Amino acid sequence: MEKKHTMRIDDFARPETMIRGVAKVFVGLIALLLLPALLQILMRILPGIAAVMGFGIASLVAYAVREGGRSRSRRSQQSGGAERTPVLPTDVEDV
């Protein structure tokens, strides 16, 4: 039988958890700072790569927009239920 562990607030205060979190943030910041510099160097070396990267970014944005619409939950029509015959009132007078 699998034991379910619920996370407590003091789990975040453990030194190893804090060090892992700080390391992830640090690596993310370094990547965000170095990526534009790397792309700039590549564009200077290979002038045609800008068009290829532009098409790649445009396709990624289009994919994200297209798939983002699919993740929303839509109400599905419930089909297959029992159909009911409408019952008309019998004591209403025609006017």
Side-chain angles (χ1 to χ4, degrees), residues 3-86:
K3 185 178 177 182
K4 191 173 184 179
H5 176 71
T6 58
M7 196 126 190
R8 298 182 321 197
I9 194 70
D10 62 342
D11 289 338
F12 293 107
R14 293 184 179 167
E16 58 271 1
T17 305
M18 292 174 68
I19 290 172
R20 262 189 268 134
V22 169
K24 284 182 182 179
V25 169
F26 181 72
V27 168
L29 284 174
I30 293 295
L32 285 174
L33 291 173
L34 292 180
L35 187 63
L38 178 65
L39 291 176
Q40 184 180 14
I41 292 169
L42 280 175
M43 281 192 221
R44 284 184 184 167
I45 294 172
L46 302 168
I49 196 131
V52 173
M53 288 182 357
F55 285 130
I57 290 172
S59 72
L60 285 175
V61 169
Y63 177 78
V65 168
R66 181 174 182 237
E67 292 300 315
R70 290 185 181 191
S71 66
R72 296 183 191 139
S73 63
R74 296 180 182 160
R75 290 185 180 181
S76 61
Q77 278 188 328
Q78 293 180 357
S79 60
E83 292 185 16
R84 300 173 73 186
T85 305

